[in-house]
Amino acid sequence: YIEEITPDGDYGVIFKLKMPYSSFINALQYPCAVVVSKAAVEKYGDSYADHPVGTGPYMFVSKMAADNITLKRFDEYWNEPAKTENLIFKIIPEGSQRTIMLENGEVDIACDILTNDAVRVEEDPNLNLVAKSGNKYYALYLSASSASATSNKLVRQAIAYAIDKDLLVSAVMNGYGTPGSELCTPTVAGYNPAKERGNIYDPEKAKALLAEAGYENGVTIDAYIRSGQPYEELATVIQGMLKDVGITINMNIMDNNKITQLQEEGEDLPIDIGFYNNICGDMDFIMQKLLPTTHNQTYFNDYVLELITEARSYTELSDRQKVYDKFHDLMAEDVPHCPLFYEVMLIGLNKNVEGFHVNPLGAHQYSTVVVYEN
């Protein structure tokens, strides 16, 4: 509710929570939880997406499905007005096409530059490459409730030791990535360098764990791989690494929508390769993704709920960190996710672009951007 919070008449929104939730402010950063116009929602109903009204420095003009969204500066914005009057977001799914359009001057800023295009952008005198760490990590998701061998903790541990993360980053990501072992990146509240194991590659240990699990003669496991780069390339390299320790991977390559459909239908997906973007910037957000009630979850441990509840009761990050460290230890032991590396965000800019600032969530702000004429 809203009430007066200062003697001179300033008002603020007061939230009354049913239980302690110290990461509440972080949760409000969730891009899909932005403030929208109640009047507009009531007026347009189900077609509100075609008439959005928010609180930002730009206002909606038009959109062309699967092609572009056009915005215009909102001159009555409460803060500093946007420096550029018009803003057009173009939807370009193909990564190499984004680079070509940047090189041709068809776009001023291109997000998610492919790692194999990064050198081209970096060496082009008319362009600049921005490389910054973000909140996203790539991982293997290992189903602990699978009917396959991934239900065995020792097998999941063996998989983690069988993967050379340094090689993955160099061979597939062209060096743009940081091998890591935590379920969060260094930009996320709760990351602890003291818990970071980085590249734990040890094929002999992987073989020993596999034998201890009862698979001294090897084992075959199904993996579901999203089509396209970098997933197929990562999966191919990982497939070879696992084969070296006695784990044969049957790769099922399909588009992301199909994998999501299989998950929703309750299919058993022992290994799934993907990424996780901590868009709230706090460990709480990934911890709650491991609750039994979470959609498509395949790992169940009551201790996680205890840790979540305890961490949320502390307002100071230093106190929460002690709880988060227990979570890091649990994940290293149980390995429901096998982190591979932390993302390096690659963004290409025309040399005439100034004022662009990278947001680790990927929700970049453009109100400070200026594009100068040649």
Side-chain angles (χ1 to χ4, degrees), residues 65-108:
D67 186 86
N68 67 73
I69 298 173
T70 299
L71 307 178
K72 186 175 182 179
R73 179 170 57 213
F74 181 52
D75 291 328
E76 297 179 43
Y77 180 53
W78 63 273
N79 202 350
E80 291 291 325
K83 294 185 180 297
T84 299
E85 182 177 1
N86 298 301
L87 179 61
I88 300 174
F89 289 96
K90 293 192 68 66
I91 302 168
I92 311 166
E94 177 57 45
S96 58
Q97 184 64 23
R98 290 195 293 272
T99 300
I100 293 172
M101 293 180 72
L102 180 67
E103 292 171 329
N104 293 341
E106 297 176 70
V107 297
D108 300 303

Side-chain angles (χ1 to χ4, degrees), residues 35 51 77 88 120 150 168 187 235 264 308 342:
V35 176
H51 309 275
Y77 180 53
I88 300 174
R120 279 172 52 191
T150 60
L168 283 182
T187 57
E264 291 175 346
I308 291 173
Y342 309 138

Side-chain angles (χ1 to χ4, degrees), residues 245-371:
V245 302
I247 302 174
T248 300
I249 294 299
N250 287 333
M251 292 207 298
N252 301 278
I253 300 174
M254 54 191 67
D255 65 43
N256 183 66
N257 290 336
K258 180 59 178 178
I259 290 180
T260 299
Q261 179 185 341
L262 292 176
Q263 291 172 331
E264 291 175 346
E265 292 173 351
E267 291 291 327
D268 184 3
L269 278 58
I271 298 177
D272 173 18
I273 186 170
F275 70 82
Y276 184 78
N277 190 10
N278 194 320
I279 53 181
C280 288
D282 192 279
M283 276 299 299
D284 178 84
F285 202 61
I286 181 60
M287 292 172 73
Q288 62 181 285
K289 294 296 183 183
L290 295 178
L291 292 174
T293 54
T294 302
H295 180 61
N296 295 331
Q297 186 49 259
T298 58
Y299 168 80
F300 308 102
N301 189 316
D302 291 339
Y303 185 41
V304 173
L305 179 57
E306 295 177 18
L307 294 177
I308 291 173
T309 303
E310 182 182 359
R312 288 179 174 180
S313 69
Y314 298 123
T315 57
E316 295 295 329
L317 178 58
S318 58
D319 294 322
R320 296 207 308 276
Q321 186 65 60
K322 297 174 183 176
V323 184
Y324 292 160
D325 286 348
K326 297 177 184 177
F327 178 74
H328 289 312
D329 292 340
L330 177 63
M331 293 299 98
E333 174 69 19
D334 281 1
V335 201
H337 293 185
C338 175
L340 303 173
F341 57 86
Y342 309 138
E343 176 197 44
V344 172
M345 305 175 73
L346 298 175
I347 301 161
L349 309 176
N350 183 290
K351 69 175 183 179
N352 296 327
V353 171
E354 292 187 5
F356 177 80
H357 303 288
V358 176
N359 183 298
L361 308 180
H364 311 302
Q365 302 297 309
Y366 296 91
S367 62
T368 59
V369 174
V370 175
V371 181

Side-chain angles (χ1 to χ4, degrees), residues 156-168:
R156 301 196 299 273
Q157 291 176 356
I159 290 173
Y161 281 107
I163 298 173
D164 186 347
K165 301 174 185 179
D166 289 336
L167 180 58
L168 283 182

